[in-house]
Amino acid sequence: MLKTMMPFVAAAAFAVATSAHAADLYEPPAVTPPTVIEKPVATGGWYLRGDLNYHWSKLRGSEYITYGCCGVVDPGSDDFDTTDLDGAFSLGAGVGYQMSPYLRADFTADYWFDSDFRGTTSGTCGGVPCTSTDESSYSALLLMANAYVDLGTYQGVTPYVGAGLGGAYVSWDDLTNAIDGGGSTVHRGASNWRFAWSVMAGASYCLTENLQLDAGYRFTQIEGGRMFDYANGVGPGFDHGFNVHEARAGLRYSFGNGNVNCAVPQVVAYEPPAYEYEPVYK
């Protein structure tokens, strides 16, 4: 009987030993997938801008009314022989909205500081030919609604073109008309609103995700209007408007997730290294 059961006892003992040895095998911990945080990508949003500019103005023409004998008016028969306007600085600010990586719009207000004016006229003084020198200056507040097309971003640089429509409040200072070898007359300067349009081109550079440096060129045309009032038998005077060339530089700050053209790719917060585990026997 004992000899009969020995094989079964040996088999049971072997099974228990094998099970105990298998329990000593090392089981690697479960590997969890990496944690990835995706930063929201800007798709559009509001921005503020500020600009420091320098502009050069050129009169498109001018004329003034003179009064002849016996109350006869001869309008528009005289104009300045020469005109010259100095360049001047200007400051601008605006608010805009980036609708897509390629389209944006803004509303801007620019104040153009005084541009000095010098002109000469010729005529007759008491039946004798004479010439005179005229001096004044003009300033303007320019309000524009603008639209831009961004032409793609290359190494953080985004070239663009744009156009704008709006109005300019032009203010002329008093004009002093000094006759050579004689006296002088002061004409009160005029101020008025005028239609204006502009075209522009430039490029922006991503300083950060929210801040861009913007530099460019703008051409603005302002319609004509009254320049000065009547005094001493002459006036009023009118300018035919301005052609203005402007070099612009400033900053644009985008709110929220930043400017879509300065967006940063997704950020991986943590990704554990890959290990290949092999069973370790103790």
Side-chain angles (χ1 to χ4, degrees):
M1 181 66 177
L2 183 57
K3 290 182 179 181
T4 305
M5 295 184 62
M6 284 298 292
F8 296 102
V9 173
F14 178 77
V16 172
T18 303
S19 176
H21 181 70
D24 290 337
L25 290 177
Y26 174 74
E27 295 183 2
V31 178
T32 58
T35 301
V36 178
I37 298 176
E38 293 187 5
K39 184 171 183 176
V41 177
T43 57
W46 294 97
Y47 64 84
L48 293 177
R49 66 178 300 158
D51 300 282
L52 173 63
N53 316 310
Y54 193 84
H55 63 277
W56 298 266
S57 305
K58 184 175 179 58
L59 276 174
R60 300 170 60 208
S62 59
E63 63 182 357
Y64 54 91
I65 298 174
T66 57
Y67 297 84
C69 175
C70 308
V72 176
V73 179
D74 187 14
S77 61
D78 290 289
D79 55 17
F80 288 92
D81 296 333
T82 63
T83 59
D84 182 65
L85 281 167
D86 290 343
F89 284 99
S90 57
L91 293 175
V95 58
Y97 190 81
Q98 182 92 39
M99 290 162 275
S100 75
Y102 304 103
L103 186 63
R104 59 187 171 87
D106 59 29
F107 176 81
T108 56
D110 294 85
Y111 182 76
W112 293 352
F113 294 100
D114 285 349
S115 292
D116 291 333
F117 166 83
R118 288 178 298 275
T120 60
T121 57
S122 59
T124 58
C125 304
V128 178
C130 63
T131 60
S132 63
T133 302
D134 301 87
E135 294 184 350
S136 182
S137 64
Y138 93 94
S139 60
L141 174 64
L142 185 68
L143 303 179
M144 302 292 288
N146 312 289
Y148 308 87
V149 176
D150 290 332
L151 304 176
T153 301
Y154 313 91
Q155 300 296 321
V157 177
T158 305
Y160 65 83
V161 294
L165 293 175
Y169 187 75
V170 176
S171 297
W172 280 101
D173 290 340
D174 292 347
L175 181 139
T176 300
N177 172 259
I179 300 174
D180 293 345
S184 63
T185 301
V186 177
H187 298 263
R188 187 177 66 179
S191 301
N192 41 70
W193 280 102
R194 308 168 182 203
F195 175 73
W197 61 268
S198 62
V199 292
M200 64 281 287
S204 62
Y205 177 72
C206 300
L207 298 175
T208 69
E209 295 177 53
N210 297 85
L211 189 63
Q212 289 180 288
L213 175 66
D214 191 320
Y217 163 81
R218 178 169 70 177
F219 171 81
T220 302
Q221 187 173 101
I222 300 175
E223 296 300 306
R226 180 171 288 200
M227 182 178 179
F228 57 85
D229 293 336
Y230 171 85
N232 197 24
V234 177
F238 303 88
D239 68 72
H240 296 171
F242 306 89
N243 289 335
V244 184
H245 303 272
E246 190 174 10
R248 299 165 59 83
L251 297 172
R252 298 206 315 261
Y253 181 82
S254 301
F255 294 95
N257 296 324
N259 186 279
V260 62
N261 294 321
C262 299
V264 175
Q266 75 172 36
V267 177
V268 178
Y270 173 71
E271 185 176 0
Y275 293 102
E276 294 183 1
Y277 295 101
E278 296 182 357
V280 178
Y281 297 95
K282 294 182 179 179

